[in-house]
Amino acid sequence: MSHDLGFHGDTMAEGLVVSTCLGGAFVGSLFSGSIADGVGRRRAFQLCALPLIIGSSMSATAKNLWGMLLGRLFVGTGMGIGPPVAALYVAEVSPAYVRGTYGSCSQLATCLGLMGALFIGFPAKQIEGWWRMCFWASVAPAALLTVFMEFSVESPHWLFKRGRGADAEAEFEKLLGGPYVKGAMAELSKSQRGDEADTVKLSELFYGHHRKVVFMGSSLFALQQLSGINAVFYFSSTVFKSAGVPSESANICVGIANLLGSLFALVSMDKLGRKALLIASFSGSGYDYSGNFS
């Protein structure tokens, strides 16, 4: 890619190709909640797929660095909108006793996508211009998301909040079956009354009894990102090559390790609990980077 677009050897340009995508994700994440509440969870998924399709197509047809950066910005915007909506949607449509397992499916899908990208990219060294096919391939999942969400249920929580109780009951019937609709609606009505009583302004999240929860949640995500996981995935080939390790084999090992970790979380999330898994995973990361537990 760097040869074709004229920035080979320019480390700043290589970093921009990566960081522009992450910058777009930051912008998209700022609006994901408003979009999900405004148009519904299903339509929010379809809207997030639109910049993914546009951005991937622009990257695949880019003639220079600026075209690539613009495409990456669009892709990043879609990436920023999608994951928060996915987490919200899974939490709202899944029964409580399997909510953690269903939530882990999103991470499992991410791991499978990463491994798929590694395998699709293997011919890039042998076939000139193959990197463009990699970007075209990424259009397919976004297009499938747009189509399949048309046949998925809308979140009963969102429908109920919009005053569409009958539609919420119909969606619960599709999800849980007729005998469970009345109990689900009663629980939803109870939780909705609690939400209305506990409505807060954005500024109130940073002080009072909300501050601790916001701080803990934000810190977990920040520490996860600062651990260097993005560098591992985005620059793994360069890192392994500089260490004298065959990048193809090493990348596959990283992908398999990531997949196995997600599978373990999938089967143990609702048994061991969130806190135990967080402690174990962060401890493992600390041992991997420092060679001993800190």
Side-chain angles (χ1 to χ4, degrees):
M1 183 196 303
S2 60
H3 279 288
D4 291 348
L5 300 183
F7 61 91
H8 180 66
D10 187 342
T11 55
M12 176 63 75
E14 292 176 359
L16 279 174
V17 171
V18 173
S19 59
T20 300
C21 185
L22 300 179
F26 173 74
V27 174
S29 66
L30 294 177
F31 299 99
S32 61
S34 300
I35 293 173
D37 286 338
V39 301
R41 307 340 182 201
R42 289 172 61 230
R43 294 293 179 247
F45 276 119
Q46 293 175 321
L47 281 176
C48 90
L50 186 61
L52 291 173
I53 294 172
I54 294 173
S56 296
S57 301
M58 292 177 66
S59 297
T61 57
K63 303 298 183 182
N64 51 49
L65 175 62
W66 294 107
M68 174 59 67
L69 292 180
L70 186 59
R72 297 292 286 164
L73 183 65
F74 271 95
V75 168
T77 303
M79 287 172 55
I81 297 172
V85 177
L88 183 64
Y89 183 75
V90 169
E92 291 179 345
V93 302
S94 56
Y97 64 92
V98 291
R99 193 163 293 154
T101 300
Y102 283 7
S104 299
C105 288
S106 298
Q107 177 61 25
L108 180 62
T110 301
C111 296
L112 292 173
L114 287 168
M115 291 194 66
L118 291 173
F119 283 110
I120 291 173
F122 276 160
K125 290 183 179 180
Q126 288 77 35
I127 303 177
E128 184 178 355
W130 182 257
W131 62 269
R132 296 186 185 275
M133 294 301 300
C134 297
F135 280 110
W136 282 122
S138 66
V139 173
L144 289 174
L145 174 65
T146 304
V147 174
F148 287 152
M149 286 310 301
E150 194 64 31
F151 303 99
S152 299
V153 298
E154 182 55 271
S155 165
H157 291 251
W158 181 78
L159 292 169
F160 193 81
K161 285 175 65 176
R162 307 288 286 192
R164 297 165 58 182
D167 292 334
E169 287 188 21
E171 299 299 79
F172 266 134
E173 187 170 0
K174 296 176 185 177
L175 286 167
L176 307 175
Y180 301 97
V181 172
K182 185 176 291 187
M185 287 298 296
E187 182 181 348
L188 180 58
S189 179
K190 182 180 177 180
S191 66
Q192 183 65 20
R193 286 196 297 270
D195 288 344
E196 291 175 353
D198 199 33
T199 300
V200 297
K201 298 179 180 179
L202 180 62
S203 59
E204 294 175 5
L205 296 176
F206 302 101
Y207 61 86
H209 65 282
H210 301 289
R211 181 180 59 184
K212 184 176 180 180
V213 176
V214 173
F215 174 77
M216 290 175 61
S218 302
S219 297
L220 285 173
F221 277 101
L223 290 171
Q224 182 188 42
Q225 296 302 307
L226 292 172
S227 69
I229 186 62
N230 284 331
V232 171
F233 286 117
Y234 288 121
F235 298 104
S236 57
S237 297
T238 304
V239 172
F240 289 129
K241 184 178 179 180
S242 64
V245 180
S247 59
E248 290 85 356
S249 302
N251 283 332
I252 292 175
C253 290
V254 171
I256 291 175
N258 199 22
L259 179 62
L260 292 176
S262 298
L263 287 172
F264 179 77
L266 182 69
V267 299
S268 59
M269 179 75 74
D270 292 303
K271 297 178 182 178
L272 299 179
R274 281 61 160 168
K275 184 177 180 179
L277 287 177
L278 278 172
I279 293 173
S281 62
F282 277 118
S283 299
S285 298
Y287 181 81
D288 178 52
Y289 282 105
S290 66
N292 50 56
F293 290 101
S294 55

